[in-house]
């Protein structure tokens, strides 16, 4: 019998117990960091040769050159043809919806003219090139390919390179088909820290990119952290989480299954259910007991349910919203009769699912919004992956002699106040001859 | 005589020589990282007591509690009154212009409805709280207070905490006045890694913030890097740089002074001038020789000019633009007769200054756009500090029973393809009973 933690916001030790299960900030593993730094160093110094050697070693590939690790567009098309019936249609629907949603995120350049006649503005342009990391093996997900690639495509990125390890040469047809659909430009079957290093610094045959996105294991995460600054990165994701607020107006089986869906990712995943109705929470407990044995991944789910998950009795829905705001969950389901009213009280969340039918899994695949979301409370200050992550802005400052006069005076005084007299004089020269203004 | 490097894009070794002076990626200093980690550990475990102890030690403050380190709004107003004549007016002009420009960056929430009747959207909301780090001592700049605070204010951040070290209790009136003008909510005279740690993790008397922005020394940079993830950070800035493209149609003294303005920041600063007219470059060299002795910070300027700066002869303006695109400079001046035409060829830059009158120093103080810009080539993938850095987005997904049917089918098939059967069933339950669809 799976024992899921039961808490109540009225418990004296509630805050401490909640904090204990929500602290997912594992210390970085020093041996992983050192191994990763060594790999990055090798790739920076030996380039292709290092990538080939490491791929032979870690992925058991008997290859001699990077070229053997490239997957052609023809091979991607062949993978499309091997999908089961209906597969391409469903993948296409997901891709179309994701593209449609993300089109709304495109930002426009703008310029404005001030009263003096100066023109100021912001120019928005796509990054030149992006690397998308896709894990190999069991966590090799086509949905991840679509979610990481399509926003870059919508932004107008000209070169999108997908890397994914292919142990013993095996690679998932769904992933290749998704790469084809999403419009990936290059596919290279490399993985781990060596793939991240190759994308960040470039090698003889792999051109460096400007930003690297996508999930990966501890080595990939450490490598992304290490190359951050040389290139942009998306985020270092923690364990996935869902927080479900319900008023008990929904089938408890649905709530149990949504918890399972979250928990089947891995043992560190977290599902929290907050409800003012303790009887309903008991029903959910009953649903869990009944349904869990029917799940393929029940061992992982049970570990995650017992690990960091909980059923939490709250005073009312406002109390539940307050707990949610404290945690800033990655996924937030509002399985209540009036979700719009409750949304008004929500301050932080990666994605909010409104109503009992809006299960998180729709959002994971095909609702349209991105499934790459801020974890571990970072929704307080960060956002879903989006088109904006593949665009950059440049400020535009256009000044004419007569229009800049007043700015020159201001610059002169403030720069002198800061002791930066060359700053002051570069303005004074243009607008006053080289005489400092009378202060 | 200051010897500034002279290069030409036609030199056989041009690429290597350019790369050598543009590589500012200093290795992180391990002793700085270790000292910083120790300080962060102390603040996390001992809270206020650690901050007080470290502030006594590093800032020579004879204080017993954090409360003594707070600066009241009355004290800020008193600093305003002590500014020299005209000071408040110029500072206000800068603040107003920065606010006006940044108002254009505010993003709107939006929702769209798909053909099935599902509502998808993106909600934009301000961060709750932000910490602004302002260095103490000589680099304590009021312009930095305005540039880091005003975008947060425009975003609607409710709590803005400024921290700035105050060695021996001294603090700059201009900085306090700028904090008053910009609407900072709390001012605490602490600095270094201890200030960053207190803002990131909170102490008994300092409430944690969601994001920390602002420049600092190596310890502050290391601390920001260490707390990244616990809170958001702006960026880890490298040395400041300007790249000036000119056609020689401008007074060479102006170009020399713009180089000085960049170089007076510190010895690692960089000024590059690209021009197809070698005679003009010689004139600039003459201006440098004549004007440099008249500058207050000539020793720093000379070191920066000789260190990483250069006068570069190019084939033509397009060649200059190509070099600029390779470097993605923080500041780019287009001191040419037709800057709009040249702008078309520019792909990456933090801020672009159009025309001979648009000297960078106007942008540093009062043109309106932010002076916090991506350095060291990171303009390839990142943007000026802006209102968007103090806003976050949440996805909205609203589904009704009839509208979600098609999404449920798609989710079911893709989730099963990924082996995530609980994901599939959470959709199937709602839209098909609990029967898996026929695949």
């Amino acid at each position: 019998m799976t024992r899921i933690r039961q808490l109540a916001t009225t418990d004296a030790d509630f805050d401490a117990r909640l904090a204990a299960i929500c602290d997912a900030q594992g210390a970085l593993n020093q041996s992983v960091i050192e191994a990763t730094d060594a790999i990055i160093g090798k790739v920076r110094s030996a380039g292709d040769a290092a990538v080939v050697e490491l791929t032979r070693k870690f992925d058991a590939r008997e290859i001699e050159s990077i070229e053997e690790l490239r997957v052609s567009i023809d091979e991607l098309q062949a993978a499309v043809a091997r999908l089961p019936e209906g597969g391409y249609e469903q993948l296409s629907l997901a891709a179309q919806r994701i593209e449609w949603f993300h089109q709304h995120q495109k930002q426009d350049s703008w310029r404005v003219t001030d009263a003096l006649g100066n023109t100021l503005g912001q120019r928005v342009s796509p990054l030149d090139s992006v690397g998308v990391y896709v894990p190999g093996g069991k966590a090799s997900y086509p949905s991840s390919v679509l979610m990481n690639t399509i926003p870059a495509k919508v932004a107008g990125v000209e070169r999108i390179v997908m890397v994914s390890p292919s142990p013993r040469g095996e690679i998932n047809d769904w992933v290749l088909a998704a790469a084809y659909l999403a419009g990936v430009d290059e596919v290279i079957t490399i993985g781990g820290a060596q793939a991240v290093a190759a994308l960040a610094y470039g090698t003889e045959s792999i051109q460096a990119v400007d930003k690297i996105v996508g999930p990966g294991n501890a080595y990939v995460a450490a490598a992304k952290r290490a190359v951050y600054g040389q290139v942009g990165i998306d985020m270092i994701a923690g364990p996935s989480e869902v927080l479900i607020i319900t008023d008990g107006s929904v089938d408890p089986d649905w709530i149990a299954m949504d918890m399972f869906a979250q928990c089947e990712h891995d043992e560190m995943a977290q599902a929290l259910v907050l409800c003012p109705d303790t009887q309903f929470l008991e029903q959910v407990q009953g649903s869990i007991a009944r349904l869990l044995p029917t799940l393929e991944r029940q061992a992982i789910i049970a570990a995650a349910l017992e690990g960091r998950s909980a059923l939490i009795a709250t005073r009312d829905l406002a109390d539940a919203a307050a707990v949610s705001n404290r945690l800033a969950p990655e996924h937030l389901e509002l399985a209540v009769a009036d979700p719009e009213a409750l949304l008004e009280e929500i301050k932080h969340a990666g994605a909010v699912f409104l109503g009992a039918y809006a299960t998180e899994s729709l959002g994971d695949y095909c609702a349209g919004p991105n499934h790459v979301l801020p974890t571990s409370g970072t929704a307080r200050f960060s956002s879903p992956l989006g088109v904006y992550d593949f665009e950059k802005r440049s400020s535009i400052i256009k000044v004419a002699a007569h229009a800049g006069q007043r700015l020159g005076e201001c610059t002169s005084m403030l720069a002198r106040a800061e002791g930066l007299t060359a700053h002051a004089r570069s303005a004074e020269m243009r607008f006053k001859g080289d005489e400092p203004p009378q202060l």
Side-chain angles (χ1 to χ4, degrees), chain A:
Chain A
M1 171 81 187
T2 300
R3 302 202 315 180
I4 181 165
R5 197 175 283 99
Q6 310 229 8
L7 307 177
T9 55
T10 52
D11 293 343
D13 60 352
F14 174 72
D15 288 357
R17 294 186 67 191
L18 184 69
I21 59 171
C22 290
D23 183 9
Q25 293 255 333
L28 295 173
N29 183 322
Q30 196 58 35
S31 71
V32 170
I33 293 175
E34 283 166 19
T36 302
D37 287 348
I39 290 170
I40 294 172
K42 272 190 192 176
V43 173
R44 288 189 71 177
S45 60
D48 280 356
V51 175
V52 166
E53 181 208 319
L54 292 161
T55 303
R56 290 174 64 103
K57 177 176 164 190
F58 292 123
D59 295 344
R61 304 287 304 271
E62 296 187 4
I63 45 98
E64 304 294 333
S65 81
I66 297 284
E67 293 317 309
E68 296 171 63
L69 298 170
R70 288 187 181 270
V71 179
S72 70
I73 300 294
D74 285 351
E75 289 171 273
L76 302 185
Q77 280 186 304
V80 169
R82 287 191 299 268
L83 292 185
E85 197 185 329
Y88 190 70
E89 182 205 342
Q90 301 295 6
L91 208 53
S92 298
L93 176 72
Q96 285 159 18
R97 292 185 58 90
I98 295 165
E99 183 181 348
W100 171 75
F101 179 85
H102 285 79
Q103 286 285 0
H104 294 90
Q105 292 179 333
K106 284 197 76 163
Q107 303 171 104
D108 292 321
S109 299
W110 52 265
R111 288 189 180 200
V112 287
T113 301
D114 67 18
L116 304 168
N118 301 294
T119 298
L120 294 319
Q122 180 173 286
R123 192 175 68 163
V124 180
S125 57
L127 308 195
D128 281 349
S129 57
V130 166
V132 177
Y133 191 96
V134 179
K138 292 220 165 170
S140 187
Y141 296 143
S143 58
S144 182
V145 177
L146 300 183
M147 293 289 184
N148 281 281
T149 303
I150 292 174
K153 208 72 188 169
V154 171
V157 175
E158 283 191 7
R159 176 171 168 259
I160 301 176
V161 186
M162 181 175 109
V163 294
S164 187
S166 168
R168 292 165 303 282
E170 289 164 20
I171 190 160
N172 183 323
D173 278 341
W174 284 93
V175 163
L176 297 180
Y180 178 77
L181 247 175
V184 167
D185 300 291
E186 298 175 37
V187 177
I188 314 174
T189 55
I190 55 176
Q194 60 274 22
V196 174
L199 289 175
Y201 293 100
T203 68
E204 300 90 321
S205 67
I206 301 173
Q207 200 189 329
V209 299
D210 294 322
K211 188 165 189 166
I212 302 173
V213 300
N217 65 18
Y219 293 88
V220 172
K224 281 169 65 181
R225 194 178 266 272
V227 302
Y228 166 56
Q230 172 67 24
V231 296
I233 62 171
D234 50 347
M235 58 182 84
I236 309 289
S240 190
E241 345 125 15
V242 69
L243 188 151
I244 303 170
I245 300 179
T246 181
D247 54 9
S249 65
V250 48
D251 185 336
D253 282 3
W254 294 10
I255 302 298
M257 195 60 79
D258 288 6
M259 296 178 77
F260 297 164
Q262 190 59 48
C263 288
E264 74 179 333
H265 281 293
D266 60 67
E267 291 83 351
M268 285 293 289
Q270 180 179 60
L272 302 176
V273 175
L274 284 74
C275 181
D277 178 347
T278 53
Q279 279 198 315
F280 181 79
L281 289 176
E282 277 171 37
Q283 292 175 342
V284 172
Q285 176 80 63
S287 297
I288 290 172
R290 179 167 44 79
L291 292 170
L292 182 57
T294 71
L295 268 293
E296 284 76 359
R297 294 164 74 95
Q298 61 174 290
I300 295 170
I301 296 171
L305 286 175
E306 295 185 353
R308 300 176 58 238
S309 299
L311 302 175
I312 302 176
T314 63
R315 292 181 185 85
D316 48 33
L317 291 179
D319 189 27
V323 172
S324 178
N325 285 337
R326 203 183 324 161
L327 298 182
E330 180 189 12
H331 303 99
L332 173 60
E333 290 188 7
L334 303 182
V336 298
D338 186 357
E340 293 281 4
L342 189 55
L343 179 62
E344 296 292 310
E345 301 185 46
I346 299 301
K347 297 183 72 171
H348 319 291
V352 190
F353 297 80
L354 275 68
Y357 287 91
T359 177
E360 181 202 319
S361 65
L362 302 185
D364 289 340
Y365 293 100
C366 59
N370 213 286
H371 79 191
V372 180
L373 297 168
T375 60
S376 307
T378 58
R380 286 181 290 117
F381 54 82
S382 50
S383 302
L385 189 72
V387 173
Y388 34 80
D389 289 303
F390 301 101
E391 294 176 329
K392 64 193 194 279
R393 306 169 188 88
S394 299
S395 299
I396 302 294
I397 298 171
K398 190 174 177 183
V399 173
H402 66 285
Q405 182 73 31
R406 184 71 186 87
L407 305 186
E409 287 169 27
C410 180
T411 295
S412 168
M413 185 167 199
L414 297 183
R416 288 180 181 277
E418 293 185 353
L420 298 176
T421 50
H423 281 70
R425 287 176 63 186
S426 86
E428 292 157 11
M429 271 187 162
R430 284 163 167 89
F431 302 108
K432 293 220 166 198
D434 197 12
E435 297 299 313
Q438 301 305 314
L439 294 191

